[in-house]
């Protein structure tokens, strides 16, 4: 475990989310001081007995900072939250047309609060012409960060292991029921990664005894292998004990299947799958192993280590 300096405060945004909460536990275990910005959409990280994490302050997302609040309002509110921080861990916002504006407001707040270092969770394949919508938004955020005097580190992540499990559906095909993995990803391959691996890397970066070691660095966080969606389905089948087969979709079929989700969330999923089909997420990077000090978890290892993360696949009806 990376030791933490007691005079360095870390602010974690989205700390009640799947990634932020894992990072909060790691920072606390290392003896770090942290301030958690929570949204109310998840659970505040706490010890098993319900006690708060040591050396941890929790700040609820203020009521005036709503989804539709102006960038100026967001920047003003977040400046107070970021005050006194040695580093800010910035996770991307929810899907929507104002996502980049909210990211820029957070960067502005870090500048105004005098934060030295921002660690931003970006996407593998981030580029101005990226296939995935979120990767284009991440590129714009990265460019905005580069235009400031802040020290920055980019954690470009692949698709998460857990995300793949939510593309599995129980349904009938032909004359018999079956379980299928549906995605508009064609014959593409993906080197998916676990939330825990990304949290371990973020811990190493945020608590490094040499705080400038990661300045201006871009890390690509992937799993240890690149799998086709047929291979993903086979791996999931072995874990759940029933056959799951991969059935490629069109974008239109995916939109119909996820009609209950918001438009932005659906388009994020579809375009990320299209990035898989285009080969954008197929590459395997050594960065997790080099920064976390252990190999990245494969999808099979993750399924074995974290059964609660895919418990929904054990239900009689997945959808």
């Amino acid at each position: 475990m990376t030791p933490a300096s007691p005079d360095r405060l870390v602010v974690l945004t989205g700390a009640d989310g799947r990634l932020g909460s894992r990072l909060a536990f790691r920072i606390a275990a290392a003896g770090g001081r942290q301030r958690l910005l929570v949204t109310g959409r998840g659970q505040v990280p706490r010890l098993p007995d319900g006690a708060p994490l040591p050396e941890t302050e929790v700040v609820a997302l203020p009521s005036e900072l709503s989804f539709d609040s102006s960038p100026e309002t967001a920047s003003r509110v977040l400046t107070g939250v970021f005050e006194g921080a040695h580093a800010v861990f910035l996770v991307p916002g929810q899907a929507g047309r104002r996502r980049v504006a909210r990211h820029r407001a957070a960067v502005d707040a870090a500048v105004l609060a005098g934060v030295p270092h921002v660690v931003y969770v970006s996407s593998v394949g981030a580029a101005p012409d990226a296939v995935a919508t979120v990767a284009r938004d991440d590129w714009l955020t990265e460019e905005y960060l580069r235009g400031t005097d802040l020290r920055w580190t980019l954690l470009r992540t692949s698709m998460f292991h857990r995300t793949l499990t939510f593309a599995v559906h129980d349904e009938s095909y032909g004359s018999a029921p079956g379980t299928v993995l549906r995605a508009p990803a064609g014959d593409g391959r993906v080197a998916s990664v676990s939330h825990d691996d990304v949290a371990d890397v973020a811990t190493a970066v945020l608590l490094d005894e040499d705080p400038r070691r990661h300045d201006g660095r871009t890390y690509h966080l992937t799993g240890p292998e690149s799998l086709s969606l047929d291979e993903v389905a086979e791996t999931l089948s072995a874990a759940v004990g029933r056959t799951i087969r991969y059935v490629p979709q069109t974008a239109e079929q995916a939109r119909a299947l996820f009609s209950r989700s918001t438009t932005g969330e659906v388009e994020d999923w579809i375009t990320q799958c299209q990035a898989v089909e285009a080969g954008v997420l197929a590459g395997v990077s050594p960065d997790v192993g080099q920064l976390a000090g252990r190999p990245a978890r494969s999808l099979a290892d993750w399924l074995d280590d974290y059964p609660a993360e895919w418990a929904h696949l054990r239900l009689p009806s997945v959808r």
Side-chain angles (χ1 to χ4, degrees):
M1 176 64 69
T2 305
S5 172
D7 60 348
R8 288 160 54 181
L9 172 68
V10 175
V11 174
L12 310 185
T13 68
D16 51 347
R18 192 161 299 279
L19 177 58
S21 60
R22 282 162 167 72
L23 178 55
F25 281 111
R26 286 160 169 78
I27 298 291
R33 292 175 55 229
Q34 58 185 334
R35 181 179 299 145
L36 310 182
L37 179 61
V38 298
T39 63
R41 293 188 293 269
Q43 293 187 339
V44 177
R46 289 183 174 276
L47 296 175
D49 62 0
L53 298 178
E55 298 295 327
T56 298
E57 174 189 0
V58 177
V59 177
L61 193 70
S63 59
E64 66 265 37
L65 192 58
S66 67
F67 183 81
D68 291 318
S69 60
S70 69
E72 293 77 16
T73 298
S75 181
R76 174 179 54 80
V77 172
L78 290 174
T79 298
V81 176
F82 295 167
E83 198 72 41
H86 168 79
V88 168
F89 180 74
L90 183 59
V91 297
Q94 289 181 297
R97 61 183 178 84
R98 304 190 71 168
R99 176 162 53 195
V100 175
R102 295 195 297 275
H103 293 174
R104 288 174 172 171
V107 172
D108 289 343
V111 171
L112 291 171
V115 175
H117 187 201
V118 169
V119 177
Y120 178 65
V121 182
S122 185
S123 303
V124 168
D129 57 350
V131 176
T133 303
V134 67
R136 292 195 296 271
D137 289 350
D138 284 333
W139 172 261
L140 293 172
T141 304
E142 290 181 3
E143 285 293 279
Y144 197 71
L145 258 175
R146 292 185 184 100
T148 70
D149 291 331
L150 292 165
R151 293 163 33 221
W152 50 264
T153 306
L154 305 176
L155 306 183
R156 288 187 176 177
T157 65
S158 184
M159 183 181 286
F160 287 108
H161 292 329
R162 191 170 187 269
T163 301
L164 290 166
T165 70
F166 284 96
V168 176
H169 305 264
D170 276 351
E171 58 185 63
S172 295
Y173 54 95
S175 59
T179 305
V180 296
L181 167 64
R182 291 194 178 273
D187 296 325
R189 306 182 75 86
V190 58
S192 56
V193 69
S194 76
H195 286 85
D196 289 88
D197 285 351
V198 177
D200 283 342
V201 168
T203 303
V205 171
L206 289 165
L207 300 185
D208 198 307
E209 61 183 9
D210 178 2
R212 294 184 176 273
R213 190 193 311 273
H214 307 284
D215 288 3
R217 300 292 299 273
T218 299
Y219 298 117
H220 294 82
L221 309 185
T222 75
E225 58 187 355
S226 183
L227 301 177
S228 69
L229 273 292
D230 284 316
E231 291 169 333
V232 168
E234 291 172 4
T235 304
L236 294 175
S237 298
V240 302
R242 67 181 187 277
T243 299
I244 299 173
R245 66 188 188 108
Y246 170 53
V247 178
Q249 290 177 304
T250 65
E252 291 71 23
Q253 289 170 332
R255 291 188 184 97
L257 186 62
F258 291 100
S259 59
R260 289 176 294 179
S261 301
T262 67
T263 300
E265 290 171 336
V266 173
E267 291 307 307
D268 274 357
W269 164 247
I270 290 172
T271 57
Q272 194 171 26
C273 288
Q274 290 171 335
V276 172
E277 182 175 21
V280 176
L281 303 184
V284 173
S285 166
D287 288 350
V288 167
Q290 291 174 354
L291 290 160
R294 57 161 182 77
R297 289 181 179 85
S298 67
L299 176 62
D301 287 341
W302 175 81
L303 290 165
D304 187 51
D305 291 342
Y306 298 97
E309 291 289 287
W310 50 273
H312 56 283
L313 295 186
R314 297 181 183 276
L315 300 177
S317 177
V318 176
R319 287 284 187 276

